Amino acid sequence: MKIKEKISISVFSIILLLVLASSGLFTLGALGVFAQNIDFPPQIVPRTVLVELFVQGSCLTCPTAEFCLEDLAYEYGTTKLILVQEHLWGDGYDTAETNARYDWYVGDGKKGTPDVFIDGLTKRLQGLSCDCVEGNYECYKDAIDEEIARPSLLELSASKTIIESEHIIEGTVKNISDTPLKDLAVCGMVGKEGDESGLYNYIQDIFPFQNMPALLPEATFNFKFIPEISLAPKSEVDEKEEVLHLVIFVQNLKTKEVLQALYVE
């Protein structure tokens, strides 16, 4: 090959590499040319907000909170908002687990019902904001809308299998953010539906936390839960089938913030 042709090819190669480098496909280093990973835009997963309403049977103001939040739960649907009611202090619908969870949130702080936790300790609304139903509805709605607007860092999926009257829940947590996530645990609840006011998805079982290792971007964690309560058999007198509400969520054990929730159909 002639010298002029070699020079022309070399010049063309250099120009090509410079074009590729400017496009971000390659970087030019002191020792040569290195391939560079192209960053893809982060995956966008809608946030499902978990609202925990702590109530007590003798509480006079709890019905207002129950009415507002139940209305919002029906309005948004379980893909945007999951409402659970956790009874306290020996009212006949409380459990040792619901009382323990409230103590875990509040510690030595002020206690009282109604007490609303939106995605854990991300937002706490204790008592009522005003005397009118409409004002409390708007207060709850604004706080929930603000949380729904936040991007989710996790993708949460799960399915249930029913063997006789026993539920088995299995699923996966995936880090869809571009940063490692730590101090997380996956948990869940089982609720029942009552005919009386204040018994909308009232919690009867809370799963133990399953601690997760630090999740790097795109890393996953698999989990499995078997609730301690099961479906009651159909009565020959009452043909209405009992329904269990199954909720899974991921929570930061240090900040007590809930990062993502899922209603398991």
Side-chain angles (χ1 to χ4, degrees):
M1 184 180 294
K2 296 181 180 179
I3 295 177
K4 290 184 178 180
E5 292 177 351
K6 290 182 179 180
I7 294 174
S8 299
I9 293 173
S10 299
V11 171
F12 176 78
S13 299
I14 292 172
I15 294 173
L16 177 62
L17 290 174
L18 290 173
V19 171
L20 292 175
S22 65
S23 67
L25 295 176
F26 292 91
T27 56
L28 297 177
L31 300 177
V33 180
F34 301 94
Q36 178 175 309
N37 292 328
I38 301 175
D39 292 331
F40 292 95
Q43 184 180 354
I44 298 176
V45 172
R47 178 183 290 268
T48 300
V49 177
L50 177 65
V51 176
E52 296 176 75
L53 169 59
F54 288 92
V55 295
Q56 210 276 338
S58 61
C59 169
L60 297 179
T61 53
C62 286
T64 299
E66 293 162 0
F67 176 83
C68 294
L69 289 171
E70 288 174 17
D71 200 36
L72 286 166
Y74 283 119
E75 177 183 337
Y76 283 101
T78 54
T79 58
K80 290 185 176 181
L81 167 62
I82 301 172
L83 171 63
V84 298
Q85 295 187 5
E86 297 169 71
H87 284 252
L88 299 171
W89 307 323
D91 71 352
Y93 297 102
D94 67 319
T95 68
E97 295 160 329
T98 56
N99 283 282
R101 185 163 176 81
Y102 187 64
D103 291 339
W104 182 65
Y105 273 139
V106 180
D108 296 328
K110 181 181 178 182
K111 296 181 180 180
T113 55
D115 213 346
V116 177
F117 294 83
I118 300 175
D119 274 345
L121 285 186
T122 303
K123 184 75 173 180
R124 181 186 181 188
L125 299 171
Q126 188 179 38
L128 299 178
S129 63
C130 61
D131 294 331
C132 65
V133 173
E134 293 79 6
N136 286 283
Y137 175 90
E138 291 299 328
C139 179
Y140 290 134
K141 187 177 187 302
D142 290 344
I144 291 169
D145 285 344
E146 182 180 350
E147 190 63 11
I148 288 176
R150 295 176 59 205
S152 176
L153 303 178
L154 296 171
E155 183 180 46
L156 181 58
S157 60
S159 61
K160 69 179 179 184
T161 303
I162 302 177
I163 302 177
E164 295 181 349
S165 60
E166 185 177 73
H167 287 71
I168 300 174
I169 306 168
E170 297 180 278
T172 302
V173 181
K174 181 179 180 181
N175 180 359
I176 59 172
S177 73
D178 56 2
T179 58
L181 301 174
K182 61 180 182 178
D183 303 320
L184 303 183
V186 60
C187 189
M189 300 178 177
V190 181
K192 292 185 177 182
E193 195 79 31
D195 295 327
E196 302 173 23
S197 176
L199 298 181
Y200 174 96
N201 192 8
Y202 68 99
I203 298 304
Q204 291 294 284
D205 186 20
I206 300 178
F207 308 147
F209 282 116
Q210 289 189 14
N211 294 336
M212 300 164 53
L215 280 185
L216 297 175
E218 297 298 312
T220 60
F221 176 81
N222 298 324
F223 61 87
K224 179 179 180 179
F225 291 111
I226 301 178
E228 293 182 357
I229 62 175
S230 57
L231 285 172
K234 280 188 177 181
S235 168
E236 294 181 0
V237 178
D238 184 6
E239 291 297 326
K240 183 179 179 181
E241 185 177 0
E242 184 181 41
V243 176
L244 295 182
H245 297 283
L246 307 173
V247 180
I248 300 295
F249 56 93
V250 177
Q251 191 159 21
N252 187 303
L253 296 181
K254 287 190 175 181
T255 65
K256 301 181 183 178
E257 172 192 3
V258 173
L259 278 71
Q260 184 64 298
L262 175 70
Y263 183 87
V264 183
E265 299 288 350

